[in-house]
Every structure is written in structure tokens, then in C-alpha cells.
Amino acid sequence: MSKTSTIYFQYIKNYYRSRSFFLMLFLILIIGFMMSYFSVKYVNDLPKFLGGSVFPSSIKVEVFYYLWTLVLLYVPVFASVFFGSPAISSEIENKTAYYIFPLPINRYKLFFGKYFAAFTVTLFIIGLYMVFELVTLTYLLGTIPVTYFLSSFLMLILFILSIMAVTFLISAIFNKNTYAYITVFVIYYIVFEAGAFIIELLYKYTPVYFLNEAGSIIERVYININPGNAFVSHVDINPAPFSDIVLSGMIMIIYTVVALVIGMLLFDRKEVS
């Protein structure tokens, strides 16, 4: 087994033993059970639940998958905070860097070992939620929109890779976990979420280049409605067009590549003080 594989599996083992993993596991089980309960409760009262006959009954399947995926969008953000924020900064704060950095191991291998281990654990957590989704909605609706589901899953993978890359970049900047935690939340919820809201309010324009807007394609592959676009008058109950999917995917890939390159360079030059 290569050093890279050894590092990868060692970090996966560490993640699975961490309190963050059990916290995320508990949260995802609670969310999964709640979504299943509400789906069963409102499967025949969807228009009433949504405040009126908003959607035609012919797209009932897409509506339910859209609602489940809308909740799913926030899981990678919290998973990246729990698994990614302390990934690099903890090595400095806990003084483990004194023992790891002098080892004859390429730092890029350490960086990517942690990154893909965090990605794997996050995907496992999200996979549990998707099991709830598939079992519940297949039981209630009797069908799976395979094409939309696979498109959404592919975009979800890109979103996890991108938000995790940004989180690792932030972790490589700071030497304390607390600073990394706070900065990731500020960047996503203040810069991206609130920033997009303000731009839409002032200019009636959706900043598609923001990571949260690109990530919204995960649910928009079912119904092309972004709940964050509170000031966009046009509502499209059709799936997002292929051009939107490609654009969002490219934006998330760019975030991933740029954040990983900068994060690797910072980590490679990081010194223990």
C-alpha cells in the first residue's frame, strides 16, 4: 500500500472516531426521520402545506424530491465545517505538527489525504440521508426520477468537493480552530448567502458565480426555483436547463481547483511556531 493510501485510510479512521462524526451522524438521523415523518404526513396535502395549489399534481414527484434536496444542500456546509475547518489548523494548535511536519512525507500527500478522507466521511453522512429519501419517497410515490436524481447527485458531489476545498483553504490560513470555524461560517452565510441576497435586492440580479448560488442547482434540477432569489419575479416549475447545470458545475469546479491549489501552497509553506 502506498504512503498516500496509508495516510488516506488513517485520516478516515480518525474522522470516524471523532466527536464531530458522531454529532453529524446524530443530526443526519434526526433530519432524516423528520423529513420522512413530514413526507408521510403531507403526501396527500402538499398544496395545503405549501399554502395553496402552487404546483400541478403531475409534478408531485419532482416537488417532493426538490423539498428533500433543499434540506440536503446545507448538510455539506456543516460537514465541511466540522471535518474541514480543523483539518490543518488543528495540527498547529494541538502541536501535532511538531511530529508530523519533520516526517519524510510530502506535505501535498498529507493535504490530499486529509481532504479526500473528509470528503469520503461527508459523502457517507449524506448517503445516509439519501437512503431515507429514496426509501421514503419510493414507498410513498412509487417511482424515482432517475435522470434528475443522478444529475442532482453529480452536482452534490461537486458541491461537497468545492465547499470542502474552500474550508481546507481557510484551515490552512489559521493556526487556531476557532478562527477557522468562524471564518467558514462568515464566508458562506455572510459573504455568499447575505451577499447574494443584497445583490438581488439592489440590482435584481442573481450572482451565479457565488458558491451558494451554484450549489442551488442540486435542487433546481428538479424544479428551477431558487428560494434564495426572493426578488426574482419569474418562477419556473420546470427543471433547470442543461446550460444552467453545466454553468453551475463549472463554477464549483473552479472553486475546487483554485481553493485546493492555494490551500496546498499555504500548507506547504506553513511553519510551526
Side-chain angles (χ1 to χ4, degrees):
M1 184 179 295
S2 65
K3 285 186 178 180
T4 304
S5 300
T6 302
I7 294 170
Y8 168 74
F9 287 112
Q10 181 58 50
Y11 281 131
I12 283 185
K13 188 185 301 183
N14 292 343
Y15 277 125
Y16 280 132
R17 292 174 176 173
S18 67
R19 286 180 294 180
S20 296
F21 172 76
F22 288 104
L23 176 59
M24 283 299 303
L25 182 63
F26 174 76
L27 290 176
I28 208 65
L29 291 175
I30 293 296
I31 295 171
F33 279 116
M34 289 180 62
M35 288 298 294
S36 295
Y37 169 76
F38 285 118
S39 295
V40 172
K41 183 176 178 63
Y42 292 106
V43 65
N44 295 317
D45 300 309
L46 185 61
K48 183 192 302 183
F49 177 68
L50 294 174
S53 300
V54 180
F55 302 107
S57 58
S58 59
I59 62 166
K60 183 177 182 179
V61 172
E62 285 80 2
V63 171
F64 268 97
Y65 275 92
Y66 171 87
L67 294 174
W68 272 76
T69 309
L70 185 63
V71 175
L72 176 64
L73 181 62
Y74 293 94
V75 178
V77 179
F78 283 91
S80 67
V81 169
F82 287 135
F83 301 139
S85 293
I88 309 299
S89 58
S90 64
E91 302 289 6
I92 307 298
E93 185 173 3
N94 299 332
K95 307 300 182 183
T96 53
Y98 284 108
Y99 308 100
I100 295 177
F101 285 5
L103 295 175
I105 302 176
N106 192 309
R107 285 198 187 182
Y108 293 163
K109 293 181 179 180
L110 289 173
F111 185 89
F112 276 111
K114 279 200 169 191
Y115 174 75
F116 285 112
F119 168 79
T120 302
V121 175
T122 301
L123 197 59
F124 172 80
I125 292 290
I126 288 174
L128 293 177
Y129 178 87
M130 298 184 77
V131 169
F132 276 98
E133 177 185 17
L134 289 174
V135 171
T136 301
L137 296 185
T138 301
Y139 171 76
L140 294 175
L141 306 174
T143 184
I144 301 173
V146 177
T147 302
Y148 299 153
F149 182 83
L150 292 178
S151 298
S152 179
F153 183 66
L154 176 60
M155 292 300 104
L156 175 63
I157 290 176
L158 290 180
F159 183 63
I160 297 172
L161 289 171
S162 58
I163 189 64
M164 192 66 70
V166 171
T167 306
F168 266 67
L169 166 60
I170 300 303
S171 184
I173 294 175
F174 295 104
N175 292 338
K176 290 186 176 296
N177 293 340
T178 304
Y179 297 160
Y181 283 126
I182 294 174
T183 303
V184 172
F185 275 120
V186 167
I187 287 178
Y188 192 83
Y189 288 106
I190 303 299
V191 176
F192 288 150
E193 292 277 0
F197 179 85
I198 293 171
I199 291 173
E200 290 163 2
L201 173 64
L202 296 178
Y203 304 106
K204 303 299 188 291
Y205 166 74
T206 301
V208 295
Y209 44 84
F210 279 14
L211 185 54
N212 66 308
E213 295 294 336
S216 71
I217 196 66
I218 297 171
E219 73 259 7
R220 291 192 295 113
V221 299
Y222 296 107
I223 300 176
N224 195 22
I225 300 175
N226 185 351
N229 298 348
F231 305 99
V232 177
S233 59
H234 177 65
V235 174
D236 186 2
I237 62 174
N238 296 307
F242 182 71
S243 58
D244 282 8
I245 297 175
V246 172
L247 176 61
S248 297
M250 290 301 298
I251 291 172
M252 288 187 284
I253 290 173
I254 291 172
Y255 270 97
T256 302
V257 173
V258 172
L260 284 179
V261 169
I262 298 176
M264 283 190 305
L265 293 175
L266 291 175
F267 181 59
D268 188 51
R269 290 164 174 73
K270 207 168 189 64
E271 300 294 336
V272 182
S273 57

